[in-house]
Amino acid sequence: MNKQRVSTGQAFRATLQRDLLIAYKRKNDMVNPFMFFLIVASLFPIGISPDSERLAEIAAGVLWISALLASLLAMDNLYRADYEDGSLEQLLLSPHPLYFMVLAKNIAHWLVSGLPVVLISPLIAYMLNLPSESYMTLFVTLLLGTPVFSLLGSIGVALTVGLGSRGLILAVITLPMSVPVLIAGTLAIEQTSNGASLGGYLAILGAMLVASISLAPLASGAALRISVN
Amino acid sequence: MTPASVDTSAQGIATRASQSLTRAVMLDGSDLFCERDDRILFEHLSFTVTEGQVLQIKGSNGSGKTTLLRILCGLNDSYQGSIRWYGQALEAQVEEFYGTLLFIGHRVGVNKVLTPLENLRWTCSLQQQVADAELYQALAKVGLRGFEESQCFTLSAGQQQRVSLARLLISDARLWILDEPFTTLDAGGVSLLEGLLRSHADAGGAVIVTTHHELRVADLQQMTLG
């Protein structure tokens, strides 16, 4: 009956697989943020002006804000089901560092809610008449920025998962933390279209990503412990 | 027994079980105090659980049974007093403790959209490597043959409870902490769980369980809260 212990890597993979499997079985959760992104971004031409010159001006900001709101919308179901059915307790009681377990959940969550938004963004950019030389910049900066949104959002969700009525509190916690990413992302697109080099902005966004990968799961883990207390 | 000589392997359990007279104290708490919303749940609470023993915690609703279990698991840290694992402070050896602890709470940890098989595979894989054949076998033993591939929201509460009980068959954890495991079970499930508790205790493991059910096990210790 003496079975082999599991390495942290294996537990990480098992958790990642489980969350992807759950997402696959709950397809509407997967499609929601994606559809939300699509709809919000298409409201701007309707609400502001279909004039292509003016759209081109605001396109970068619209895309980034829509991506941020879509990520916020998807955040709530990161820990809620696990909290309600007790799986979260099992995760907290695993003999592995909570950092890696939380990171696995965050990665799975970004893969199903963040990545589709990034992939579809060039299409929306075309609709909003973003200058075509900025497509690559948009894609790359979103690729670096949306995981930061997910990782930061995870802290907010972990803090609020135990509350009965969450309402807007998640947005109040998360959105201010996301502002630097939003600034860096939109500036990158704006400045590179004026001839600035992309390198510096990518370095800043990359640094934000690295910092949030290394620190945010620790904060989420601590917040989860408080929430189940 | 000094902590240095604690053998963490499953064979260790078997050898210790055979020398039943020298059973070690697995978990003990002394002078525990817990207060919630200005109401004292318990104070000066002390207990010991030795290998091969079942500790049954009783008490009226709201007397702090679940809180005590969660404190012992480390899920709740709003208490005073000391808890020791094989004679040493629990906080100093949390990872080792979690490697050999099996907790089934009031919420059993079964995801509704996953199947029993997938649920079991994940919870077990946090602690040990398990082959699929073994998962099927365990599910069959708890009476879920034929339900392995159904999503859990189609199962009854009792069946979901049985999914979590299947973990007891697979795990080689030495300490089981179970919160009201009998509530949703039918007569067959009750006797199945009793059998599991008995054989776990016979193998030198320990159980801490909250229930009002009359347990028929050899080395039973009872504690009443409130």
Side-chain angles (χ1 to χ4, degrees):
Chain A
M1 270 286 282
N2 192 17
K3 284 159 199 146
Q4 235 186 326
R5 295 276 149 205
V6 173
S7 71
T8 300
Q10 286 165 323
F12 178 87
R13 220 169 20 250
T15 306
L16 187 67
Q17 275 172 357
R18 167 185 183 267
D19 274 34
L20 289 176
L21 192 62
I22 292 175
Y24 173 74
K25 294 197 174 190
R26 303 179 47 152
K27 292 192 187 57
N28 59 333
D29 280 359
M30 218 159 91
V31 177
N32 277 349
F34 176 77
M35 289 305 291
F36 183 82
F37 176 70
L38 213 69
I39 292 167
V40 169
S42 25
L43 285 179
F44 283 87
I46 299 170
I48 295 177
S49 153
D51 174 39
S52 54
E53 294 252 313
R54 279 173 83 179
L55 276 181
E57 247 171 68
I58 57 164
V62 167
L63 283 158
W64 268 90
I65 292 171
S66 310
L68 174 56
L69 294 180
S71 122
L72 186 69
L73 177 81
M75 275 335 285
D76 201 38
N77 48 34
L78 176 54
Y79 300 115
R80 180 142 53 130
D82 288 342
Y83 176 80
E84 280 165 6
D85 69 23
S87 304
L88 193 57
E89 289 162 1
Q90 299 300 333
L91 197 75
L92 293 176
L93 294 179
S94 85
H96 310 285
L98 191 54
Y99 172 88
F100 291 105
M101 301 295 107
V102 169
L103 187 61
K105 290 189 78 67
N106 285 346
I107 290 175
H109 187 262
W110 177 76
L111 285 176
V112 294
S113 70
L115 190 59
V117 166
V118 177
L119 293 179
I120 194 77
S121 63
L123 195 68
I124 311 290
Y126 178 73
M127 186 182 81
L128 294 174
N129 198 30
L130 188 78
S132 57
E133 65 271 16
S134 298
Y135 281 19
M136 202 54 209
T137 319
L138 171 77
F139 188 79
V140 176
T141 50
L142 276 179
L143 199 60
L144 289 174
T146 47
V148 182
F149 290 155
S150 290
L151 287 158
L152 292 177
S154 158
I155 303 174
V157 184
L159 276 172
T160 55
V161 71
L163 304 179
S165 60
R166 279 168 289 260
L168 273 177
I169 189 153
L170 181 61
V172 172
I173 296 174
T174 312
L175 291 181
M177 293 200 288
S178 313
V179 169
V181 188
L182 188 67
I183 294 173
T186 46
L187 263 188
I189 297 171
E190 200 179 301
Q191 297 296 320
T192 48
S193 68
N194 293 338
S197 95
L198 183 58
Y201 293 101
L202 286 190
I204 290 174
L205 279 167
M208 288 175 176
L209 179 59
V210 170
S212 51
I213 285 182
S214 45
L215 296 175
L218 290 175
S220 300
L224 286 176
R225 288 209 188 279
I226 295 169
S227 284
V228 298
N229 206 332
Chain B
M1 180 180 267
T2 58
S5 68
V6 171
D7 185 350
T8 52
S9 67
Q11 286 97 332
I13 295 176
T15 35
R16 275 199 299 273
S18 60
Q19 327 157 332
S20 56
L21 291 173
T22 58
R23 277 181 177 167
V25 173
M26 194 181 271
L27 191 72
D28 71 291
S30 56
D31 209 13
L32 295 177
F33 169 86
C34 178
E35 184 185 52
R36 180 164 263 185
D37 303 329
D38 294 330
R39 198 164 50 86
I40 293 172
L41 281 179
F42 43 79
E43 54 184 339
H44 309 304
L45 180 75
S46 299
F47 69 91
T48 54
V49 185
T50 54
E51 293 171 344
Q53 197 171 47
V54 176
L55 171 64
Q56 179 179 15
I57 299 170
K58 290 182 170 182
S60 52
N61 299 135
S63 61
K65 302 188 290 289
T66 295
T67 308
L68 178 61
L69 291 193
R70 294 176 70 86
I71 285 173
L72 295 180
C73 290
L75 287 172
N76 187 331
D77 60 4
S78 51
Y79 70 96
Q80 290 161 24
S82 68
I83 302 170
R84 285 185 300 269
W85 172 248
Y86 281 109
Q88 287 213 319
L90 186 58
E91 301 89 61
Q93 37 184 348
V94 169
E95 237 167 80
E96 191 195 330
F97 175 63
Y98 283 169
T100 187
L101 165 76
L102 192 156
F103 171 73
I104 299 180
H106 174 63
R107 293 176 287 204
V108 292
V110 173
N111 185 288
K112 300 261 192 316
V113 296
L114 294 182
T115 67
L117 187 67
E118 290 156 352
N119 268 306
L120 194 58
R121 187 186 290 139
W122 176 69
T123 21
C124 290
S125 70
L126 289 176
Q127 281 193 328
Q128 60 200 28
Q129 294 175 9
V130 195
D132 266 12
E134 211 175 339
L135 299 176
Y136 276 106
Q137 220 173 20
L139 287 171
K141 270 191 201 158
V142 296
L144 290 172
R145 190 191 295 277
F147 292 98
E148 294 96 342
E149 311 281 351
S150 329
Q151 290 188 302
C152 283
F153 62 77
T154 62
L155 304 183
S156 73
Q159 284 175 313
Q160 290 181 19
Q161 179 95 37
R162 281 164 182 261
V163 176
S164 72
L165 295 186
R167 292 172 54 204
L168 301 177
L169 284 162
I170 293 171
S171 169
D172 58 3
R174 280 184 289 167
L175 177 63
W176 293 356
I177 296 186
L178 313 174
D179 193 359
E180 299 286 357
F182 290 99
T183 38
T184 52
L185 295 178
D186 56 19
V190 167
S191 66
L192 172 80
L193 180 52
E194 271 192 334
L196 286 174
L197 295 184
R198 242 189 325 266
S199 58
H200 182 62
D202 288 345
V207 184
I208 301 177
V209 57
T210 60
T211 181
H212 288 275
H213 184 80
E214 293 299 324
L215 289 174
R216 281 161 302 183
V217 289
D219 191 355
L220 180 69
Q221 193 194 0
Q222 291 188 329
M223 183 162 83
T224 308
L225 295 182

